[in-house]
Amino acid sequence: MGKRLMTLVLVLALGVAALAGGLVASLGFDEAVALVTGSEVEAPKTAANDGHGDEDGDSHTPAPEHPSSKVMVTPFKEIIVNISATTATGRQTTRFLKLNTALVYDSSKAGADHIEERKLYLRDSFQDYLRQLSERDVQGSAGLAILKAELLRRARTISDSQAPQEILISDLIVQ
């Protein structure tokens, strides 16, 4: 009976230690201690957060815009491509992906004047990427965020500049 009790105590102690280690690894030491004790972690003061935010601790002051920056939006024609999908029975099939998108760019940055003239190359690069996707790749908010990031990366590569700021998606339909 004593040996069994010691084994149980040892297993419980190891479990608690593993849980504590996991909390510290995922949250960081200060946040893990704050979670266990129920206290709040004070955010470090930075130029953007000088400790004078809202009551809930968030600072909603927008970043000042550069006076010479001019945001432009250029829409693309609708893109329709085939993507792969898996049916409920596990059979591979194809679906259509329909995408309406626009590129937001800063016309004051170097290389911005090349965006309009390279628009066909941008669209071609977008289509090449989209054809490689599967239905699972575009599901959920994480899939949408990855899709937008990859299209933005391609836009910056094709335009050879940092002028592209964001990809806007007005329609994303999988049929």
Side-chain angles (χ1 to χ4, degrees):
M1 180 74 177
K3 195 172 190 176
R4 197 178 259 182
L5 181 62
M6 286 296 286
T7 304
L8 181 63
V9 168
L10 182 62
V11 168
L12 284 174
L14 286 174
V16 169
L19 179 64
L23 279 173
V24 170
S26 64
L27 298 176
F29 181 75
D30 292 335
E31 290 183 15
V33 170
L35 179 68
V36 172
T37 61
S39 63
E40 291 187 24
V41 176
E42 186 173 321
K45 293 184 180 183
T46 62
N49 177 13
D50 60 0
H52 299 293
D54 290 348
E55 296 162 358
D56 60 357
D58 291 339
S59 178
H60 297 288
T61 307
E65 203 172 303
H66 192 273
S68 65
S69 68
K70 185 172 180 186
V71 175
M72 303 292 289
V73 177
T74 183
F76 289 91
K77 289 182 182 177
E78 180 177 86
I79 298 173
I80 299 175
V81 295
N82 286 330
I83 60 172
S84 63
T86 306
T87 64
T89 60
R91 188 174 61 97
Q92 290 291 318
T93 185
T94 59
R95 299 209 186 266
F96 289 109
L97 175 112
K98 176 180 157 185
L99 182 70
N100 282 315
T101 187
L103 174 65
V104 178
Y105 65 96
D106 186 346
S107 63
S108 66
K109 291 199 175 187
D113 51 336
H114 299 298
I115 290 177
E116 288 298 328
E117 66 189 41
R118 294 183 181 174
K119 194 170 174 181
L120 288 174
Y121 297 102
L122 289 168
R123 181 179 158 84
D124 181 61
S125 176
F126 290 177
Q127 285 182 348
D128 286 345
Y129 171 68
L130 293 170
R131 284 188 182 108
Q132 299 172 26
L133 297 178
S134 69
E135 186 177 28
R136 298 183 90 192
D137 293 332
V138 294
Q139 289 180 341
S141 58
L144 184 62
I146 292 169
L147 173 69
K148 290 172 88 171
E150 182 61 30
L151 294 178
L152 180 61
R153 185 187 69 79
R154 288 172 181 265
R156 288 180 174 164
T157 301
I158 297 295
S159 68
D160 196 26
S161 76
Q162 292 296 312
Q165 300 295 303
E166 187 175 359
I167 297 290
L168 303 177
I169 295 178
S170 58
D171 293 316
L172 178 91
I173 300 171
V174 177
Q175 312 185 305

